[in-house]
Amino acid sequence: MCPPSHFVEVFTLLDGGLRDGGWMGEGRPKGGHALAILPGLAHYNLVDSPLFATTALAFVDQPADTDGVG
């Protein structure tokens, strides 16, 4: 597996994490992708965590991009 720093590096290369996302998501990367690192979880127990469900639903419930990318 990869250390979290590698995922952060890839996210940065995809234009993520370079600025504040903004209250309405206006500063999020083109395409709307996001990175969430959930402490204390691994791919073995991730789906059993209420934190994972909350995080995933918050991402899915975001409004779609209006520029036709997301």
Side-chain angles (χ1 to χ4, degrees):
M1 299 304 300
C2 298
S5 60
H6 288 179
F7 296 108
V8 171
E9 182 179 351
V10 170
F11 185 63
T12 302
L13 291 172
L14 294 172
D15 192 37
L18 300 176
R19 63 194 159 282
D20 182 71
W23 187 259
M24 301 299 289
E26 68 275 7
R28 289 190 60 192
K30 290 181 174 60
H33 52 275
L35 174 67
I37 297 177
L38 305 178
L41 298 174
H43 65 280
Y44 301 109
N45 62 353
L46 180 69
V47 296
D48 296 328
S49 169
L51 182 58
F52 173 67
T54 301
T55 304
L57 288 173
F59 177 77
V60 172
D61 288 342
Q62 293 269 332
D65 288 345
T66 57
D67 63 3
V69 177

